[in-house]
Amino acid sequence: YLFVASQPPTSARAKEAWTYTPQVKSKRGQVKMKLEVAPDGMRLAGDTLSWTPSAAGTYSVVAICSDASAQEVYNTFKVTVK
């Protein structure tokens, strides 16, 4: 099995830091993440996404999680910035 067991924060405020550390569960271990789609400035460091949005809007995020068995699961969500 490989799945994301957490929900991301789906709201943020412009010019304020936003972070999310997905809780990924894997039977095989060795979980890795890759940021596939993200708004400008969003970064993945280790297993934590961080971002300071500069403008209001709704932004899409897609993080791909994989494990030792080469399974992949997509963590897809939107963040609304006010």
Side-chain angles (χ1 to χ4, degrees):
Y1 59 85
L2 174 65
F3 63 94
V4 179
S6 58
Q7 295 293 317
T10 56
S11 62
R13 292 191 173 275
K15 308 214 186 300
E16 292 184 13
W18 175 97
T19 61
Y20 171 49
T21 303
Q23 301 302 307
V24 182
K25 304 295 183 184
S26 168
K27 184 176 183 178
R28 301 284 181 149
Q30 298 179 8
V31 172
K32 296 178 185 174
M33 284 195 343
K34 177 173 76 170
L35 196 51
E36 187 74 9
V37 175
D40 286 342
M42 184 175 282
R43 299 286 178 253
L44 174 63
D47 60 355
T48 299
L49 297 169
S50 61
W51 177 45
T52 301
S54 59
T58 299
Y59 301 89
S60 296
V61 180
V62 178
I64 301 173
C65 305
S66 61
D67 68 5
S69 69
Q71 288 187 85
E72 288 185 340
V73 65
Y74 287 70
N75 188 13
T76 304
F77 57 93
K78 293 184 183 292
V79 179
T80 301
V81 178
K82 297 185 180 198

